[in-house]
Amino acid sequence: KALSQRKKELLEVAQRLFSQDGYDGASMRQIAEELGIKTASLYSHYNSKDDMLWEIAIRCSHEFHAHVLPLEKLGASVEERLGQMVRKHAEIIIKNIDASAIFFHEWKHLDDGKDGRKAAYEAQIQTYEQAFINVINEGIEKGIFRQVPVKFINYTLLSSINWIQNWYKPTGKMSVEDIADEFEKFILN
C-alpha cells in the first residue's frame, strides 16, 4: 500500500538508523529528533518501533520477492535463471542498502508475539531461499552443476552477495551493473 510522504520520511530515517546503529541502538527519540518533531508525534504514525521495523522489513522482503522469485520460473536455462537471480539480488541490495541490513539482520528483533510477524517473516525468507535452492537442484539434476550440499552452497552464495551491504560505497569505482556482472560471472564460472 502507498505511504504518505510523512510516513516515507519517517521510515527512511528509521531505516537508516536501524541500519547504522542497529534496532536496539536506535531510539524513537533519535528518529523524532532527526525529523525535527516531538517523539509523541511518531505515535500518530506508528504504535511502536516494532511496527516501523515490520513495515521496513516486509516492504524490503516484498521487493526481493517481486523481482527475484519470478526469475525462478522463466523459460530460460538454469544458468541464465540463476545468473539473473544473483544479478537482481545484488542490484536490490545496492539500491536499498539500509533496508537490506534490516532484511538480513535487524528483522530478528521483531516481536515474537505480535501477530505472528516474526514467523511470517521467517516464512518469507524461507520461500525466497527455496527459489535459489530449486534452481540449483535443477542444475544438479541436469548435470549442469556437480553434486553439492545444496543448502550449504545456497547459504554460501547468498551470504557472499549479502555482504555487499557492508562494503558497497556509491562513490566507489564499481557501478551497480559492474558489481552485478562480476557476481553473475563468478557464480556461473
Side-chain angles (χ1 to χ4, degrees):
K1 75 182 183 192
L3 295 174
S4 69
Q5 186 58 36
R6 191 53 159 170
K7 274 192 168 184
K8 283 181 189 172
E9 292 168 2
L10 190 156
L11 288 179
E12 284 174 15
V13 169
Q15 188 170 276
R16 184 174 43 76
L17 291 174
F18 294 168
S19 174
Q20 172 186 305
D21 301 334
Y23 177 76
D24 287 334
S27 68
M28 293 292 268
R29 182 182 331 192
Q30 238 182 329
I31 295 167
E33 284 173 4
E34 292 242 357
L35 289 164
I37 62 175
K38 295 185 185 291
T39 305
S41 298
L42 291 177
Y43 292 100
S44 66
H45 299 285
Y46 289 98
N47 293 327
S48 67
K49 192 167 80 163
D50 187 74
D51 287 348
M52 285 187 276
L53 178 63
W54 171 251
E55 183 84 30
I56 295 164
I58 204 67
R59 283 179 174 278
C60 189
S61 177
H62 287 163
E63 182 162 2
F64 276 103
H65 280 236
H67 294 286
V68 176
L69 294 187
L71 300 173
E72 174 194 0
K73 306 286 187 203
L74 277 183
S77 72
V78 168
E79 299 98 313
E80 290 170 320
R81 285 183 286 143
L82 186 59
Q84 288 179 28
M85 291 168 76
V86 163
R87 166 180 285 287
K88 188 53 73 175
H89 184 81
E91 288 172 355
I92 293 168
I93 292 169
I94 293 168
K95 290 178 182 169
N96 302 286
I97 213 83
D98 289 334
S100 295
I102 292 160
F103 181 76
F104 302 132
H105 308 292
E106 299 305 317
W107 69 269
K108 294 172 184 141
H109 296 283
L110 285 168
D111 185 348
D112 277 328
K114 193 160 193 171
D115 304 331
R117 287 178 176 178
K118 194 170 192 176
Y121 197 77
E122 287 172 336
Q124 292 264 326
I125 290 172
Q126 288 172 355
T127 298
Y128 189 76
E129 290 174 351
Q130 190 61 49
F132 284 87
I133 289 170
N134 292 344
V135 174
I136 294 167
N137 271 329
E138 184 182 340
I140 291 169
E141 289 167 12
K142 291 182 174 180
I144 296 165
F145 304 136
R146 64 182 174 84
Q147 202 66 352
V148 293
V150 178
K151 275 193 164 189
F152 170 78
I153 293 302
N154 190 54
Y155 288 143
T156 302
L157 168 68
L158 290 177
S159 295
S160 67
I161 303 167
N162 295 349
W163 199 252
I164 291 171
Q165 59 105 10
N166 291 300
W167 58 262
Y168 175 74
K169 301 284 183 254
T171 57
K173 292 179 181 178
M174 295 178 78
S175 70
V176 173
E177 293 76 23
D178 292 339
I179 293 168
D181 284 346
E182 291 304 318
F183 266 111
E184 186 176 4
K185 284 190 261 180
F186 175 74
I187 298 306
L188 296 176
N189 296 326

